[in-house]
Amino acid sequence: MRPQPLAACLALAVLLPLGAAAQPAPAPAAPPAPAPAPVPVPAAATPTGSFDNGRVLAYTCQGCHGITGYKNAYPSYRVPKIGGQTQQYLTQALTEYRQGKRRHPTMQAQSMSFSEQEIADLAVYLSTVK
């Protein structure tokens, strides 16, 4: 190692603590003002699904979930039937994939491509499919 950079590093290591000690002490902080009363926030409205839009969006689901007895190549498992599931279940499942609470790379990617409204639309449509 060259002596000049080493000397500069040592000088900084010695002088920085001395510089901090030479700084004047900060003035005492004023007492905090009382927090304003919380404003009630209305609950976020759950989107109402559109059957027609859900039917259009569901084409991406049919490739795997619409084939009776379909198995994924790797890892090998049977793809679950989603037609006829409840709206609540379908919404919860897609939302959990979006949040990473359920782990499956394909489903996480699919769910990330849908908005909350589109998830509601899919749930309305898929809940009616037999």
Side-chain angles (χ1 to χ4, degrees), residues 7-8 18 21 29-30 34 40 44-46 49 52 55 66 69 72 79 106 112 115 120 125:
L18 293 175
T46 305
D52 292 329
R55 185 181 65 214
N72 193 5
V79 175
T106 303
M112 294 299 281
S115 67
Y125 173 73

Side-chain angles (χ1 to χ4, degrees), residues 42-62:
T46 305
T48 303
S50 164
F51 178 88
D52 292 329
N53 193 40
R55 185 181 65 214
V56 172
L57 292 170
Y59 79 92
T60 61
C61 308
Q62 297 301 322

Side-chain angles (χ1 to χ4, degrees), residues 93-114:
L94 283 170
T95 301
E96 287 177 355
Y97 280 118
R98 280 182 74 189
Q99 296 170 344
K101 292 179 181 177
R102 290 188 185 202
R103 297 188 184 273
H104 185 274
T106 303
M107 287 304 302
Q108 285 178 322
Q110 285 292 333
S111 64
M112 294 299 281
S113 71
F114 297 127

Side-chain angles (χ1 to χ4, degrees), residues 58-67 82 125-126 129:
Y59 79 92
T60 61
C61 308
Q62 297 301 322
C64 296
H65 294 282
I67 302 171
I82 57 175
Y125 173 73
L126 290 171
V129 174

